[in-house]
Amino acid sequence: MSGAPGSGGLTGRLLPLLMAGLGCGNATGGGGGGSECQAETAAADCERARPAACADRAWTCVNGRCTCAERCDGRNDRDDAAVPDAGRCPGTLDPAGGQVQWVRRAGGAGEDRALGLSVAVDGGIFVTGFFHNTATFGAGEPGEVEIEAFGGGWRQSDAFVARLDPDGTLAWLRRAGDESDAVGKGVSATPDGGALIVGRFVGGSMTLGTGEANETTLTGGALYNDFVARYSGNGDLLWARTVDGGNAGSPYYLWNDWPAIAAAPDGGAIVTGTFGGTAWFDTGDGERVRLEGHGEFNWDAYVARYDADGDLVWARRAGSDGDAGARGMAVAAAPDGGVWLGGRFEGSVTLGEGEPNETTLAGAFSLFFARYDAEGGPLAAWQLGVGDWALVHGLAATPGGGVAATGQWGGDLFTAVFDGGGSLSWVRRVGGPVGSHWGFGIAASPEGELYVTGRFMRELPLESVGSSDLVSAGSYDLLVAHYDGEGSLEWARHAGGFSDEAGFAVAVAPDGGVAVAGWFTMEATFGECEEGEATLVSAGSNDIFIAKFAP
């Protein structure tokens, strides 16, 4: 294997920073709506933007956005839909794209987050993540379910996997865990209508499929262990396997150590993650396969493939001696049965070690990407950028035989597309004046359109002529963006409240709609200024959201 196609640093535009102010803060005025909000500022731009329809009612302006008849009891429950000013509605490049079709909430009084989402062939939506103590899913629906974590305490989390119908109605819900923490990180729909999930558990064991015929208790010898499981379309556990990961890092506080999964065309599972020292893979026949790393305190990336029955087909490592190590962070399945891998490394990383195409990449804080064939043979490897903090959180195979990636680069959100040999086709990088901006999930449509979700702080400039910046309602807002196949931004939407929100996973539905899952804190408004505007209010700390947007 020669060199590293597409290397030479992150090239591409740093989008121009449009220094739009944050507006008037929080000002309240207007007529006889009886609002008891306290006026803070009477900024002229807010007064000019006040909707005419609010003339006879109270109106509220937050960051230059004006709405009518808002209650001010701290919950932000609206008695009437927001009334937009035609020139001031935020988050819109194309009024014909990205509107909220529906949004759902799940959770309880503890910390609850959705971390993975995938769309089934019939348009149903699989979601995975974690919850603490108790959580309610499908609130107000006939199938409403309240589940309790196995440990029953506030500090212990369980993993969950749920299926929603195409209209957002809860179809079924399953939990997995034990007396210590368990987290569902990724989910990928299989061709037969089922789903594969990957996650992590702490300590010696976790149980999946409790009370079912295939109830399985997994054990691991490490403090942190990854798990892989397959469910049928009806929610029945089919199989579950452990990846005993050595000293592989925190179950959910360090985002750059989580495993990832993709369904292969034959229904098998492609998994990546991080291990320290030695990793042991359950084979499916009661045996285990050992993958030796580059030292107990060096982190190595692994990539492994299971067939549809849960039997291990192969496992490979990527790392190096004497360096801080490599992390496997994202994976995608190629249409030909091959595998795309993405991760980060410090110092150097060797892929395909001992094979004819062995490749070593070097550089501090670089991203690496690789392509393997269906048998695990390395085909190409390359890096992106050198010398800046970088994370890759999502990969998606593109219809043209390439791969798209998103993540964070030096505090900015990036999206990049490579061809089948690893050459860079295009890259976009967006950042604002303060804070960090993240790309967490990416999906490709059959036509090659790309959808990215993540989060941004305070302000995010957009690249299209005539567009305005996205301005968060508080700290972090979640972001959903649509690029065409050439990298032009079609539209961008955001949603949030006065605290912390993030979109963590995205998928394209058969009808062209875009499903997104993540979390919000306290409250979050989706589809502001739209007919379908909805404000979610959490039951406690972080709650889960699942939303569907128009293409």
Side-chain angles (χ1 to χ4, degrees), residues 104-467:
R104 301 289 184 267
R105 181 196 67 83
E111 182 182 10
D112 315 301
R113 301 191 183 197
L115 302 178
L117 175 145
S118 187
V119 176
V121 291
D122 65 354
I125 297 171
F126 295 104
V127 185
T128 192
F130 66 89
F131 70 97
H132 285 80
N133 197 33
T134 61
T136 299
F137 288 73
E141 301 173 6
E144 176 180 327
V145 177
E146 181 177 274
I147 53 174
E148 182 177 356
F150 281 96
W154 289 95
R155 294 182 59 85
Q156 182 255 327
S157 69
D158 273 6
F160 74 85
V161 58
R163 179 185 162 103
L164 280 63
D165 292 332
D167 65 357
T169 303
L170 180 68
W172 51 259
L173 173 70
R174 303 290 183 266
R175 68 173 179 177
D178 210 323
E179 297 299 321
S180 57
D181 288 305
V183 174
K185 165 54 176 66
V187 61
S188 188
T190 54
D192 64 354
L196 294 155
I197 70 168
V198 71
R200 181 160 293 173
F201 65 98
V202 180
S205 65
M206 73 173 293
T207 300
L208 302 92
T210 301
E212 300 179 18
N214 288 329
E215 177 179 330
T216 302
T217 297
L218 302 177
T219 59
L223 178 59
Y224 305 118
N225 305 278
D226 295 344
F227 70 89
V228 186
R230 183 173 181 180
Y231 289 83
S232 72
N234 295 322
D236 299 322
L237 179 69
L238 300 179
W239 52 261
R241 304 287 183 261
T242 303
V243 179
D244 181 338
N247 301 303
S250 165
Y252 54 81
Y253 292 114
L254 294 178
W255 295 349
N256 55 343
D257 290 328
W258 278 339
I261 195 166
D266 63 359
I270 302 165
V271 187
T272 190
T274 304
F275 71 100
T278 303
W280 293 92
F281 295 80
D282 288 346
T283 61
D285 58 3
E287 301 297 324
R288 298 203 302 169
V289 168
R290 178 176 177 172
L291 194 62
E292 194 69 33
H294 288 88
E296 183 179 1
F297 299 103
N298 275 18
W299 287 0
D300 284 69
Y302 72 80
V303 57
R305 183 178 185 130
Y306 293 85
D307 67 19
D309 296 320
D311 296 327
L312 183 69
V313 180
W314 51 260
R316 302 287 185 267
R317 71 172 184 180
S320 63
D321 293 315
D323 295 299
R327 298 180 176 97
M329 301 183 64
V331 70
D336 62 359
V339 176
W340 294 104
L341 173 65
R344 71 180 298 264
F345 69 95
E346 302 171 30
S348 65
V349 59
T350 299
L351 300 100
E353 198 166 352
E355 302 190 39
N357 285 334
E358 176 179 323
T359 301
T360 297
L361 308 173
F365 300 111
S366 294
L367 300 181
F368 73 85
F369 300 90
R371 183 172 184 177
Y372 296 82
D373 62 27
E375 287 71 44
L379 299 176
W382 67 96
Q383 69 192 85
L384 187 65
V386 175
D388 207 346
W389 177 260
L391 301 169
V392 55
H393 286 292
L395 288 182
T398 60
V403 67
T406 192
Q408 187 189 51
W409 189 274
D412 293 341
L413 184 158
F414 82 89
T415 304
V417 174
F418 305 92
D419 67 17
S423 296
L424 183 66
S425 298
W426 55 263
V427 62
R428 302 292 180 263
R429 178 175 177 175
V430 291
V434 295
S436 297
H437 315 282
W438 305 73
F440 287 131
I442 191 167
S445 75
E447 298 74 32
E449 307 281 300
L450 294 179
Y451 297 89
V452 176
T453 192
R455 69 177 188 170
F456 70 98
M457 174 178 276
R458 298 291 293 277
E459 185 179 357
L460 193 68
L462 302 176
E463 66 175 345
S464 294
V465 175
S467 68

Side-chain angles (χ1 to χ4, degrees), residues 477-530:
D477 269 15
L478 69 97
L479 166 74
V480 185
H482 174 197
Y483 289 93
D484 70 16
E486 302 302 318
S488 295
L489 186 63
E490 296 289 317
W491 53 257
R493 299 284 180 169
H494 72 107
F498 54 81
S499 190
D500 179 14
E501 291 78 41
F504 215 87
V506 61
V508 180
D511 63 1
V514 183
V516 179
W519 69 84
F520 70 99
T521 306
M522 302 305 290
E523 67 176 46
T525 298
F526 291 75
E528 187 176 18
C529 303
E530 299 173 9

